[in-house]
Amino acid sequence: MKLETKIVHISKPDELTGAISTPIYQTSSYAQEAPEVHKGFAYSRTANPTRKVVESAIAELEGGLAGFAFSSGLAATDCVLKLLNQGDEVIAVNDVYGGTYRILTTVYNRFGVTSKFIDTTDAKNVAEAVSSKTRFIWLETPTNPTLKISDIEEIAKIAKSVGALLIVDNTFLSPALQRPIELGADIVVHSGTKYLSGHGDVLSGFVVVNTPELAEELKYIQNTSGGVLSPFDSWLTLRGIQTLSLRLEKHSANAQKVAEYLANHPKVDKIYYPGLKSHKNHEIAAKQQKAFGGMVSFSLKEDTLEAATRVLTQTQIFLLAENLGDVRSLVSHPATMTHKSTPAEIRRETGIQDSLIRLSVGIENADDLIADLEQALNAETICCSKETLENQEK
């Protein structure tokens, strides 16, 4: 069965009633015939029928053995990081999502976990950085927000050579466009809030693993820590997944057109999109991805916060919001939004300039999106007051 068909039929008819749409089992507990004698469910933190369906669905789509659903992407990340012990080391891509950077450097560092942030676009850098203490190699590919591409297959070999686990955050592409486990990854992480659900109406996170041992460990941590996805949010995510392939095809096609437009705009300095042949790792992206995704970032020749703000406050179709992967086009400012918790000097080192703007290109008409960017780039003044902008950042 082709992936597009599998995605549409990923939610099977309910065994009890035959309902085509998975029922929302909105219950906290389940009646038992006797102590520990039940139908596979005792308490919804441990297992819930609706959540079980979405967990099985994401595992199947990613080509993994088991899936786990959480209340947010960071809850999923936290569960994976709880596999670590004092003295372990994490090697992560240097422009990793700000929330991941924050939890590694301000929470897990207190428990004796050390982190190195390196440029993983060259696998040689990873080979030089690993040590006997390295337990995790943590990739985003493409990265958030400068869309760096790392060779999953090559880095998986390096991880295995030192007994480390390779974790790939697949949020930006989803299994519709990239399947890291097939390329050698041990664990795949998602913010399901983004492309998996796709409609800006749910928070969710997912982890997929490919061995019984990891599945057993993560199941224990998930049940012990408790940050699980609710039945209703599980249902919303399932509904969103059914159109995943169709949406990603349109997101990618629109993003390619937008990127090509921006690449030739006189006010644009740098453009970040793996679908452009000028991208440093275009060939690696073409090798391991089905398409290039819906995310585009660019910086301005006038590299100031004021210049970025003029654009950010003038778009009409692109909504200024701290999210991505929505059917609607969104725009954000990494330096003051998604990566505000990353120190300024590290942001600049990794390409997150003050003028960097991140676009989540939606499924609208591409000509309308380009026209919206054109008028915003040509704006002469900031439309909103400083107070309004500061409130938006909060």
Side-chain angles (χ1 to χ4, degrees), residues 323-365:
N323 197 17
L324 62 95
D326 200 316
V327 290
R328 292 160 287 234
S329 289
L330 305 175
V331 61
S332 70
H333 185 243
T336 59
M337 298 171 80
T338 57
H339 288 66
K340 188 175 183 178
S341 60
T342 303
E345 63 275 12
I346 295 177
R347 289 201 303 263
R348 287 191 288 268
E349 287 174 7
T350 57
I352 305 175
Q353 301 165 238
D354 284 346
S355 70
L356 187 74
I357 292 171
R358 190 191 74 183
L359 303 176
S360 174
V361 181
I363 65 171
E364 303 94 339
N365 182 279

Side-chain angles (χ1 to χ4, degrees), residues 94 96-106 117 341-343 346:
N94 58 1
V96 72
Y97 166 56
T100 305
Y101 179 89
R102 181 176 59 227
I103 197 171
L104 283 170
T105 59
T106 67
F117 300 91
S341 60
T342 303
I346 295 177

Side-chain angles (χ1 to χ4, degrees), residues 80 83 165-168 181 185-189 207-209 214 218:
V80 173
L83 292 169
L165 296 177
L166 176 61
I167 295 95
V168 178
I181 286 175
D186 299 288
I187 300 175
V188 175
V189 176
V207 176
V208 178
V209 299
L214 282 173
L218 284 173

Side-chain angles (χ1 to χ4, degrees), residues 266-270 299-311 353-357 377 379-380:
K267 292 187 178 182
V268 171
D269 181 27
K270 296 175 183 176
S299 60
L300 301 170
K301 289 182 177 177
E302 184 186 345
D303 186 25
T304 64
L305 176 59
E306 290 73 20
T309 300
R310 282 200 301 272
V311 177
Q353 301 165 238
D354 284 346
S355 70
L356 187 74
I357 292 171
L377 284 163
E380 297 295 333

Side-chain angles (χ1 to χ4, degrees), residues 223-244:
N223 186 46
T224 303
S225 299
V228 296
L229 193 61
S230 73
F232 183 57
D233 288 340
S234 296
W235 181 84
L236 281 173
T237 305
L238 274 171
R239 185 182 64 169
I241 287 175
Q242 291 176 332
T243 60
L244 181 64

Side-chain angles (χ1 to χ4, degrees), residues 174-193:
S174 86
L177 299 186
Q178 180 172 266
R179 289 158 62 89
I181 286 175
E182 293 180 352
L183 298 169
D186 299 288
I187 300 175
V188 175
V189 176
H190 283 276
S191 172
T193 308

